[in-house]
Amino acid sequence: MTAETGRLAPEGVRRMFDRIAPVYDVMNRVMTVGLDRRWRKLAAGAVVRPGDRVLDGCCGTGDLALAAKKAGAGEVVGLDFSEQMLVRARRKAPQLEWVEGDLLAMSFADGEFDAATVGFGIRNVDDLQAGLVELQRVLKPGGRLAVLEITRPRGLLSVFFRLWFDVLVPLLGRVLPGGAAYTYLPASVRRFPGPEELADQLGEAGFGEVVYRRLGGGIVALHTGVAR
C-alpha cells in the first residue's frame, strides 16, 4: 500500500492527515476554487432537519459539521481518527461534540442519530462497505445519510480535471507539509467506485431511496439515502 496506489493502511492514513491538518482548509479552497463550502451546505441541507441529532463521520476540520448545525441540527457530533484534524475542528466550534474514533468501529449505540453526513472522507475508509453498514447501524430507521465525494467527470471537463487533479495538485503538494498526501489524493479518487457503483453499495448496506447528483460539472457526487 502506497500513496501512489491510492491505498494506505489505516495508520498511514491517520499519520497523513495529521501532517496535512495545518494546510487542509487552504488546500480544499484552492482545489475546489472555494466551491467546497457550497457543496457542504447542499449536503447538510439534503438530510438535516430542525432539531436532528447528526453525526458527521470523517469530519476532518469540521466544516460539514458546522454546515449541519447551520442547517438546523439540534446536536452535532463530529468523528475523526486524526487528532490534529480535531484540534482544528474544536477551535472552530468548541460548542460541538468532537470525538476521536474510527468510522469502522464507532462506539455509538444502534439508532442513535437522525441523520449522518460524510464529506470527502468515505474514500479513505479501509473497508468501504463495512463503513457504510456502520453508518446505517447508528442511524434510526428512516434516518438520512449524505455522502459527498470527489469523482471523475465525463466529457470535456475530464481533460481539465486530469491536468488539475493528477498533475498540478501533486506539484503544489510538494511544497506543503505532508506533500505525499497530494499524490495519494488523485490516486484514491481513481480507484474509488464511480457514482453508480457507490449507489449500489449504499443499497447493499441497508439504505433505500438512494439517489445521487453530480456537482461542479461532474467532479463531485452527492449521494443520499434513507436507513431501512
Side-chain angles (χ1 to χ4, degrees), residues 200-212:
D200 289 342
Q201 290 189 242
L202 283 161
E204 293 168 6
F207 289 93
E209 303 177 39
V210 176
V211 295
Y212 69 87

Side-chain angles (χ1 to χ4, degrees), residues 99-190:
V99 177
E100 185 175 354
D102 187 345
L103 190 77
L104 293 175
M106 293 188 283
S107 60
F108 308 118
D110 294 0
E112 187 168 334
F113 295 94
D114 301 294
T117 58
V118 186
F120 307 114
I122 200 73
R123 186 183 69 256
N124 304 308
V125 174
D126 189 47
D127 185 332
L128 171 60
Q129 194 63 25
L132 297 176
V133 169
E134 184 71 346
L135 285 164
Q136 193 272 348
R137 179 188 70 78
V138 301
L139 284 170
K140 298 174 181 177
R144 300 163 302 279
L145 172 69
V147 176
L148 188 63
E149 193 52 86
I150 303 168
T151 190
R152 300 188 72 81
R154 302 166 177 165
L156 293 176
L157 189 61
S158 64
V159 177
F160 170 78
F161 181 87
R162 286 196 298 270
L163 173 64
W164 173 243
F165 211 60
D166 295 345
V167 179
L168 297 180
V169 166
L171 285 175
L172 183 59
R174 289 182 184 178
V175 302
L176 297 170
Y182 300 100
T183 299
Y184 164 85
L185 178 59
S188 68
V189 173
R190 285 194 295 271

Side-chain angles (χ1 to χ4, degrees), residues 3 28 39 42 45 53 66 106 139 152 162 189-190 192 197 204 215:
N28 275 342
W39 297 334
L42 287 171
R53 179 167 167 80
L66 281 166
M106 293 188 283
L139 284 170
R152 300 188 72 81
R162 286 196 298 270
V189 173
R190 285 194 295 271
F192 190 70
E197 186 179 349
E204 293 168 6
L215 305 170

